[in-house]
Amino acid sequence: MRKPCCDKEGTIKGAWSKQEDQKLIDYIQLHGEGCWRSLPKAAGLHRCGKSCRLRWINYLRPDIKRGNFDQDEEDLIIKLHALLGNRWSLIAGRLPGRTDNEIKNYWNSHIRRKLINRGIDPNNHKLYQTFPLPNKAPHTEPSFDSMNQHQTLLPSNKPSFRVVAALDDDDDDDRSSDTHHSCLLETSSASHQLNLDLTIAFPADSSTTRLFTLAEEDKNKNNMPKPSTSENVDESTPILLLFQ
DNA sequence: AAGAGCCCCAACCGCCCCCCA
DNA sequence: TTGGGGGGCGGTTGGGGCTCT
């Protein structure tokens, strides 16, 4: 039986008071971040060590950038999430001054909904909706305004595209456009067979390589499975750009 | 004005990983 | 080699504030 991380008896839970914050700040400024388990007692706090750590990391640290996320940060979060999934700490590591908790909250409360409204599954960054059959309306813009309205891709109705995380760092100027971040669809003109291969592939331009390298670096650190690369992808297959 | 419902975010919980004895 | 302890992480919760009716 694992011992609890701290003595539950006598520990305070819930919101931190100004006095507690000040005690924690004073202690860490004096002694630095050290053993969180013993910190509360040493600092005169009736808190669990984990609670102190969280409070410091997510709120009290002097280098924390507070306030709204700007568009560049949001873009980066989406791109990194496509690569790394829910590895919030890794994503936070690429956003100076932002914490994993903050990014996680922002994702769940803002970005998730945005992607869903654009017909993109926030879990895998793939499109939700069925694409029109080519012999009916090959160039009809699919509409999707909520998760409830999405349709699933049927095997007999496979779109012929690949999802590609186009990880360019260029911050183009069309940010005001509603279609920013939205998936762009290229249907195959050669074949009307629809293909469910939604592999994420990585174009070999330099900026992409740089971002991918970051992901690789973290992945290697954390032993995470490699994302599918172009080796899995038929080069003749049209590309669905996930990010423009 | 007030109550209901919704949303945001700080904080908690429990699991996992890594380090060290 | 293994087991325990500490730290870190991601999922979840709940309280408070805001908006709508």
Side-chain angles (χ1 to χ4, degrees):
Chain A
M1 180 70 182
R2 194 185 173 81
K3 270 202 317 187
C5 77
C6 54
D7 183 15
K8 300 273 181 193
E9 299 293 320
T11 56
I12 302 171
K13 283 193 194 176
W16 281 62
S17 67
K18 282 214 159 63
Q19 289 82 2
E20 286 178 307
D21 282 347
Q22 200 52 54
K23 275 185 184 178
L24 184 56
I25 292 167
D26 290 345
Y27 182 86
I28 290 176
Q29 279 176 350
L30 212 60
H31 302 93
E33 293 177 40
C35 176
W36 292 109
R37 201 182 175 90
S38 58
L39 184 147
K41 199 177 176 185
L45 288 160
H46 302 286
R47 291 276 181 174
C48 164
K50 277 187 165 188
S51 180
C52 294
R53 177 184 162 271
L54 235 14
R55 184 64 181 169
W56 174 254
I57 287 176
N58 289 332
Y59 203 83
L60 299 175
R61 245 172 40 197
D63 58 329
I64 284 188
K65 179 179 171 185
R66 306 206 67 82
N68 293 339
F69 283 76
D70 58 35
Q71 187 63 54
D72 286 347
E73 288 178 306
E74 190 176 313
D75 292 349
L76 190 54
I77 291 168
I78 295 170
K79 287 175 180 180
L80 288 169
H81 187 270
L83 282 173
L84 302 168
N86 292 357
R87 291 178 168 81
W88 305 115
S89 60
L90 293 184
I91 295 172
R94 304 296 173 211
L95 285 130
R98 299 295 189 183
T99 69
D100 55 354
N101 206 38
E102 200 179 6
I103 293 169
K104 181 171 58 183
N105 283 334
Y106 189 70
W107 175 270
N108 287 327
S109 60
H110 294 90
I111 301 176
R112 245 181 87 85
R113 198 173 312 141
K114 251 187 205 178
L115 292 180
I116 288 168
N117 285 340
R118 289 169 183 170
I120 300 166
D121 185 343
N123 298 317
N124 55 19
H125 297 258
K126 293 174 185 174
L127 290 173
Y128 275 127
Q129 81 291 348
T130 300
F131 296 94
L133 288 169
N135 62 351
K136 285 187 179 172
H139 300 296
T140 304
E141 189 72 20
S143 68
F144 29 79
D145 47 6
S146 81
M147 187 158 65
N148 295 334
Q149 289 174 330
H150 85 259
Q151 295 172 290
T152 52
L153 295 163
L154 301 170
S156 60
N157 194 20
K158 295 178 180 176
S160 180
F161 59 76
R162 289 179 283 136
V163 170
V164 174
L167 300 165
D168 56 338
D169 266 352
D170 299 336
D171 290 314
D172 41 18
D173 293 321
D174 59 353
R175 300 221 176 280
S176 57
S177 161
D178 277 345
T179 57
H180 191 67
H181 291 319
S182 64
C183 293
L184 300 178
L185 175 64
E186 275 183 39
T187 54
S188 168
S189 56
S191 164
H192 288 192
Q193 293 284 324
L194 297 169
N195 177 1
L196 265 182
D197 178 13
L198 290 164
T199 310
I200 294 184
F202 300 90
D205 70 291
S206 58
S207 55
T208 298
T209 307
R210 190 163 64 77
L211 241 182
F212 181 64
T213 305
L214 295 176
E216 279 286 318
E217 175 190 312
D218 283 327
K219 184 183 63 215
N220 292 338
K221 263 191 231 162
N222 295 280
N223 229 357
M224 58 187 270
K226 286 191 179 190
S228 305
T229 59
S230 54
E231 69 185 36
N232 300 328
V233 178
D234 174 8
E235 288 304 316
S236 65
T237 310
I239 293 170
L240 174 65
L241 289 171
L242 194 52
F243 309 109
Q244 276 286 75

